[in-house]
């Protein structure tokens, strides 16, 4: 089998048993990799109704067939588990260098099951695989963890995925971190890792990834890299300003959510823009493994030294979402989130929920005691509560539960701006309705990256669509985006390649590497299978589609107050039935038997 | 008079963040004036792909380069950019 190592590692943390399993080409053609592999194993091996923090939940690290190859951005891995935030599927993606190293060690995926009695880490050096004591690093922040473990194993070339204190303390939106600042961020995958007493995975590999037709693959890859380098976004805007170039763009277009989506333009956006970051704190770009784009930002601030980011999403979540304009505080807060192992979007989203609950009088000042008041714009809030929630101290214990549970405790669920209990990212969908439909139907809840309709609706890629159009063309485009993103994820590539590449380009690279002869449609079918299998998992976990494929009341009921999208709401009710129908689903949002059969999912029902 | 805001690379090319321009009736006319003032590099940066907003609305959904401008309008011009 080309592209794959053909082997999966299974680690039972309860018994300490480590075993290996083979995968074959039939399996690979059905699920491709990363989240495809993940959803297969979760559907086969766990009860979707399982308590996410129980030993019965499983935690899967998986690569794709192009991970560890020279394909542009071919270094990604995903962490797949049942989310403690949403109660549904979590599939969090990360770059850096960990994914490629896991592949070089000869493994396509690792399945962790059970729960260790005391803190452990997994050490992998090709076929040498051991569980080792991690008591001495439990409690350490991410950078220290990486430093100590690198010294301990005595090999500077190891790659490490680990959790910080947030994951250990079961903060429901804790991330798995690698290379200091790369995060498998969303859905609380780091908290599941913490619940298993697994502090880190340390990997060193010396093997190759075999390619079916190396000469052909090299020429295909060369062509795609050229395409990316010549693309004005992937080869221009992204390397120059990083993702934060979007701050001004999205703000000027009137969909930059401000003060928990109460406003859609932030008066201080300019001060926290990619342009401002570049002029004040940027040291250099930093690409992930095999990446010709290099959107990563190495930055420096006197308070924290050399750090990375913040990315667009983090800038917003820790800035405009909280009414905070001070870029320096945002840079430091972002650094803290990386060190503690927190998802920045949900951290900001939870704080924004708290601030609105405070503003509306549902969180009373006496509940906070001497802690800083949770007022929008109060910069003091940032660092104080990020620390408190990480360690679950004082009011931080409630914040650690995420925005939805916090709002529920305070009788203010309508002020939680999220979907399926996961906090929304940095686009007000009242200014991009297809993106809103994406939020509502995303398998992992409030998330932009699995169906980035901002691309056609605002940025104009692959072509410009009217953000307020809700025709079938828009709905169909969303479905293609969802399925294609699943293919790109499963291949082990970064979605940022979509600025310069189209569906056929991914087909070319996969076919050359794997020696397959699949059509673009056949790859998209794999994407559709993955999407539906994840949906099936959610349905089995108890998803009530008509109630939960939804958006916060504000976004469907309160028109935008001002700016270019003034007067608009998301017309979700008009889009959702057509989405179900175009997906081949029933009117109640469930997957009918014929669709299950068409996608070969019968054995998972 | 319209206010024209530049973003990203356009700022370093133009050497400023915004300008005020008089006597242009459409976005097309405005661009010609900007090309004349800021030269080839400016033109090259946005000729092929770009985003132009008039009061926050993309001209692709107004009248394109024929979109009319009135006194007090704010025009925002971005080179090709993306993120996530």
């Amino acid at each position: 089998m080309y592209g794959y190592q053909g082997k999966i590692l299974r680690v039972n943390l309860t018994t300490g048993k480590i075993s290996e399993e083979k995968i074959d080409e039939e399996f690979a053609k059905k699920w491709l990799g990363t989240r495809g592999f993940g959803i297969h194993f979760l559907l086969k091996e766990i009860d979707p109704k399982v308590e996410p923090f129980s030993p019965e939940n499983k935690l899967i690290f998986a690569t794709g067939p192009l991970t560890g190859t020279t394909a542009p951005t071919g270094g990604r891995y995903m962490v797949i588990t049942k989310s403690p935030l949403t109660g549904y599927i979590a599939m969090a993606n990360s770059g850096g260098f960990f994914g490629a190293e896991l592949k070089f060690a000869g493994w396509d995926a690792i399945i962790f099951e059970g729960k260790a009695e005391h803190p452990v880490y997994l050490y992998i050096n090709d076929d040498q695989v051991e569980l080792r004591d991690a008591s001495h690093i439990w409690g350490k922040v991410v950078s220290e963890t990486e430093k100590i473990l690198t010294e301990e194993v005595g090999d500077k070339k190891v790659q490490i995925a680990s959790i910080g204190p947030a994951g250990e303390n079961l903060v429901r939106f804790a991330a798995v971190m690698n290379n200091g600042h790369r995060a498998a961020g969303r859905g609380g995958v780091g908290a599941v890792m913490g619940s298993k007493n697994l502090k880190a995975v340390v990997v060193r590999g010396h093997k190759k990834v075999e390619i079916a037709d190396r000469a052909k693959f090299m020429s295909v890859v060369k062509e795609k890299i050229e395409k990316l380098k010549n693309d004005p976004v992937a080869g221009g805007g992204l390397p120059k300003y990083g993702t934060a170039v979007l701050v001004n763009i999205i703000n000027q277009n009137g969909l930059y959510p401000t003060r928990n989506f109460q406003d859609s333009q932030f008066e201080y956006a300019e001060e926290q823009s990619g342009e401002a970051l570049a002029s004040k704190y940027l040291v250099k770009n930093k690409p992930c493994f095999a990446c010709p784009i290099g959107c990563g930002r190495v930055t420096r601030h006197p308070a924290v030294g050399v750090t990375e980011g913040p990315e667009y999403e983090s800038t917003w979540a820790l800035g405009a979402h909280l009414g905070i304009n001070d870029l320096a505080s945002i840079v430091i807060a972002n650094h803290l989130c990386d060190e503690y192992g927190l998802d920045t979007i949900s951290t900001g989203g939870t704080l924004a929920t708290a601030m609105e609950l405070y503003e509306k009088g549902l969180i009373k000042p006496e509940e906070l005691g001497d802690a800083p008041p949770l007022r929008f714009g109060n910069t003091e809030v940032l660092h104080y509560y990020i620390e408190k929630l990480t360690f679950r101290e004082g009011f931080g214990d409630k914040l650690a539960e995420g925005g939805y549970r916090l709002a529920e405790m305070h009788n203010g669920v309508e002020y939680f701006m999220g979907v399926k209990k996961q906090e929304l990212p940095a686009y007000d969908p009242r200014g991009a309705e297809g993106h809103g439909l994406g939020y509502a139907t995303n398998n992992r809840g409030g998330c932009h990256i699995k169906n980035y309709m901002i691309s056609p609706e605002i940025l104009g890629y692959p072509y410009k669509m009217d953000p307020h159009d809700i025709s079938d063309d828009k709905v169909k485009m969303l479905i293609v985006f969802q399925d294609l993103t699943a293919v790109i994820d499963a291949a082990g590539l970064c979605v940022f390649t979509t600025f310069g590449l189209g569906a056929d380009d991914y087909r070319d690279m996969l076919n050359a590497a794997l020696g397959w002869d699949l059509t673009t449609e056949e790859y998209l079918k794999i994407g559709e299978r993955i999407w539906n299998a994840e949906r099936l998992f959610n349905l089995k976990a108890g998803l009530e589609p008509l109630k939960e494929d939804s958006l916060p009341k504000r976004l469907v009921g309160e028109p935008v107050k001002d700016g270019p999208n003034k007067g608009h709401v998301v017309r979700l009710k008009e889009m959702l039935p057509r989405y179900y129908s175009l997906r081949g689903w029933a009117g109640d949002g469930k997957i009918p038997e014929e669709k299950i059969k068409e996608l070969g999912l019968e054995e998972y029902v | 008079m319209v206010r024209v805001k530049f973003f990203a690379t356009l700022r370093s090319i133009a050497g400023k963040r915004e300008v005020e321009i008089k006597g242009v009736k459409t976005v097309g006319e405005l661009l010609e004036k900007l090309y004349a003032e800021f030269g080839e590099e400016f033109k090259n940066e946005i000729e092929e792909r770009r985003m132009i907003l008039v009061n926050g609305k993309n001209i692709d959904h107004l009248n394109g380069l024929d979109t009319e401008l009135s006194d007090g309008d704010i025009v925002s011009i971005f080179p090709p950019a993306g993120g996530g």
Side-chain angles (χ1 to χ4, degrees), chain A residues 252-291:
Chain A
Q252 291 290 316
N253 277 277
L255 46 156
Y256 195 52
T258 300
R259 289 171 284 269
N260 203 33
F261 290 75
Q262 294 186 80
D263 297 299
S264 305
Q265 283 184 311
F266 188 41
E267 57 278 22
Y268 301 112
E270 183 63 51
E271 292 173 31
Q272 54 186 247
S273 62
E275 290 92 331
L277 185 75
S279 76
K280 285 185 177 164
Y281 303 114
L282 184 66
V283 178
K284 60 175 181 178
N285 292 18
K286 189 176 180 185
C288 297
F289 180 87
C291 178

Side-chain angles (χ1 to χ4, degrees), chain A residues 138 163-171 174-175 190-195 340-342 390:
Chain A
W138 200 251
I163 54 168
E168 297 170 9
N169 295 325
L170 309 187
V171 176
V192 173
M193 190 157 160
S195 76
Y340 293 152
L342 285 165
T390 297

Side-chain angles (χ1 to χ4, degrees), chain A residues 231-233 238 241 245-246 248-249 252-253 270 275 312 448 458 461 464-467 496 499 564, chain B residues 5 7-9 11-12 17 49 51 53 55-58 60-61 74 76 78 80-84:
Chain A
D231 178 79
V233 176
L238 262 177
Y241 290 103
V245 72
L246 283 179
N248 276 328
I249 297 177
Q252 291 290 316
N253 277 277
E270 183 63 51
E275 290 92 331
Y312 168 67
H448 60 301
I458 301 297
Y461 308 103
K464 186 77 175 71
M465 295 184 109
D466 183 339
F496 282 1
F499 288 114
Chain B
K5 295 182 172 183
F7 295 92
T9 45
R11 286 184 178 174
S12 45
R17 285 187 184 190
R49 281 203 263 168
M51 178 191 291
L53 312 176
N55 301 322
K57 296 197 170 160
N58 196 309
D60 287 2
H61 308 303
I74 295 175
S76 310
F78 300 87

Side-chain angles (χ1 to χ4, degrees), chain A residues 292-309:
Chain A
I293 303 172
C295 71
R297 310 280 91 181
V298 176
T299 47
R300 186 191 289 123
H301 185 279
V304 295
V306 174
T307 182
E308 286 182 35

Side-chain angles (χ1 to χ4, degrees), chain A residues 253-255 257-258 260-264 417 427-436 439 467-468 551-561 564-571:
Chain A
N253 277 277
L255 46 156
T258 300
N260 203 33
F261 290 75
Q262 294 186 80
D263 297 299
S264 305
M417 301 305 293
Y427 307 90
D428 187 331
R430 290 172 294 186
E433 304 210 28
H435 197 67
Y439 284 160
H468 296 295
L551 290 170
K553 234 197 255 173
R554 173 165 294 155
L555 303 180
V556 291
E558 288 176 30
V560 174
K561 285 186 241 166
N565 299 304
K566 190 176 172 180
H568 284 282
V569 294
V570 183
R571 289 172 287 167

Side-chain angles (χ1 to χ4, degrees), chain A residues 291-400:
Chain A
C291 178
I293 303 172
C295 71
R297 310 280 91 181
V298 176
T299 47
R300 186 191 289 123
H301 185 279
V304 295
V306 174
T307 182
E308 286 182 35
E311 301 297 328
Y312 168 67
E313 286 292 336
S314 312
T315 304
W316 163 80
L318 304 168
H321 201 13
L322 311 176
I324 286 172
N325 67 340
D326 178 39
L327 182 56
S329 295
I330 297 167
V331 170
I332 298 165
N334 180 67
H335 179 80
L336 284 177
C337 288
D338 287 354
E339 283 289 72
Y340 293 152
L342 285 165
D343 170 31
T344 50
I345 299 177
S346 284
T347 300
T350 300
L351 288 172
T353 311
M355 284 172 156
E356 192 164 358
L357 291 169
Y358 186 83
E359 183 182 86
K360 299 290 190 285
L362 295 170
I363 292 175
K364 306 262 187 269
E366 47 275 25
E367 195 179 342
L368 303 180
D370 295 336
L374 283 160
R375 259 187 230 109
F376 284 110
N378 181 6
T379 309
E380 255 188 308
V381 163
L382 265 184
H383 309 162
Y384 180 87
Y385 286 105
I386 286 174
E387 179 149 341
K388 291 295 169 193
L389 72 86
T390 297
F391 295 97
R392 286 186 170 271
E393 289 166 0
F395 191 71
D397 193 37
K398 290 177 184 165
L399 294 170

